[in-house]
Amino acid sequence: MKPFRMDNALPVDTTIPDPSLVVLIGAAGSGKSTWARTWSVTQVLELDWFRAMVSDDAGAQEATGDPVFALQAVLEARLARRKMTVVDATNCEKFVRADLIATARRRGVLTVDLVVPTPLPVCIERQKARPANRRVPDQAVRAQHAAMADAWPGLPGEGFDHVVNAGNLSRLKAMLQPLSDARRADLGWDDDAGLGELLLVRRTFGPEILPIWSWRDGSQLADGDRVMQAAEPGLVSGVRHRRDDGLECHSRPPWT
């Protein structure tokens, strides 16, 4: 197969208005979701997420009809409010893109087609690292990549206001800056207290545990080490500090 190259047939366009509907297009494994994460999580409608919501399985291809219906409903609601929205799916079929354009037109929102032209061998190689239920067969990846390449010259004629090659964009700073700000806040480098003694707790157990976590001093549950007293009644967990600065949790009933 001849390698796909984006020539100069289309002028370089890096315009992404706010608000607009951004339609990602690219084969599975091209990195569309990485690009999508440069926007706020509430602005991204990912088809796999809707699959998981209706079936508890993000890779449930047989459940595609219901997830598409749910995605469309949220899309209509967001565009009615003129909210920046990114659709994270392969979007390689022309009829799919036509429906998205029509939805945006009804709401008076501009449209952007963001093409992610990652080389086919890379897209195929990336499937190996995916969980079995998210792995796309090579033949399907090839078909998606070919459809993306065939669509490229005609995208402006489909009605998109802007057609953008991801290779012409620099959104890495937009993605990394919030992460950097959050890290500085956690460490207390923004003139605030930061997480302090809870920094290692979050690193070990995740942010979900923080609202119910409090340290309990003077307990002998962990041979003198500090333990966590959860806000949930009846849960006391002994937490031993290990030499690698990690934590390990040993739950005990409160009467021991």
Side-chain angles (χ1 to χ4, degrees), residues 28-32 48 126-136:
S30 61
K32 298 183 301 300
D48 284 351
R126 286 175 176 171
Q127 302 306 314
K128 298 178 181 178
R130 291 184 166 186
N133 68 329
R134 302 290 298 277
R135 200 172 298 141
V136 180

Side-chain angles (χ1 to χ4, degrees), residues 56-166:
D56 289 334
D57 183 357
Q61 300 299 315
E62 71 280 0
T64 296
D66 289 334
V68 169
F69 178 83
L71 186 153
Q72 181 68 26
V74 177
L75 176 63
E76 290 273 6
R78 287 190 60 83
L79 295 187
R81 293 169 173 78
R82 298 187 61 78
K83 295 294 185 180
M84 185 76 184
T85 305
V86 180
V87 176
D88 181 9
T90 57
N91 297 316
C92 291
E93 302 91 345
K94 186 174 182 179
F95 75 90
V96 171
R97 298 192 296 271
D99 285 346
L100 293 171
I101 292 172
T103 301
R105 289 287 180 267
R106 287 197 301 272
R107 301 300 184 178
V109 176
L110 295 174
T111 55
V112 179
D113 200 340
L114 178 55
V115 183
V116 187
T118 305
L120 176 59
V122 176
C123 297
I124 291 176
E125 182 65 24
R126 286 175 176 171
Q127 302 306 314
K128 298 178 181 178
R130 291 184 166 186
N133 68 329
R134 302 290 298 277
R135 200 172 298 141
V136 180
D138 290 0
Q139 184 176 358
V141 177
R142 293 178 187 278
Q144 293 168 357
H145 197 275
M148 177 271 296
D150 291 342
W152 166 250
L155 289 174
E158 292 184 13
F160 285 101
D161 297 295
H162 303 279
V163 178
V164 180
N165 175 0

Side-chain angles (χ1 to χ4, degrees), residues 161-180:
D161 297 295
H162 303 279
V163 178
V164 180
N165 175 0
N168 294 332
L169 288 179
S170 177
R171 290 187 58 86
L172 187 60
K173 182 179 179 180
M175 178 172 63
L176 294 180
Q177 190 63 50
L179 297 176
S180 175

Side-chain angles (χ1 to χ4, degrees), residues 173-256:
K173 182 179 179 180
M175 178 172 63
L176 294 180
Q177 190 63 50
L179 297 176
S180 175
D181 292 343
R183 179 62 174 167
R184 292 178 64 84
D186 289 348
L187 295 173
W189 290 356
D190 58 351
D191 298 325
D192 200 353
L195 284 177
E197 292 182 332
L198 293 178
L199 184 62
L200 184 57
V201 172
R202 192 185 71 170
R203 184 183 303 167
T204 305
F205 298 108
E208 295 81 7
I209 197 70
L210 296 184
I212 67 170
W213 187 288
S214 61
W215 287 109
R216 177 178 170 184
D217 295 318
S219 172
Q220 295 304 311
L221 287 179
D223 299 327
D225 264 348
R226 304 175 75 189
V227 302
M228 179 269 281
Q229 170 71 61
E232 180 181 346
L235 176 61
V236 179
S237 297
V239 182
R240 185 183 303 280
H241 290 260
R242 302 192 312 232
R243 290 186 178 181
D244 60 0
D245 291 328
L247 299 175
E248 55 187 9
C249 186
H250 305 280
S251 295
R252 304 276 187 90
W255 55 84
T256 61

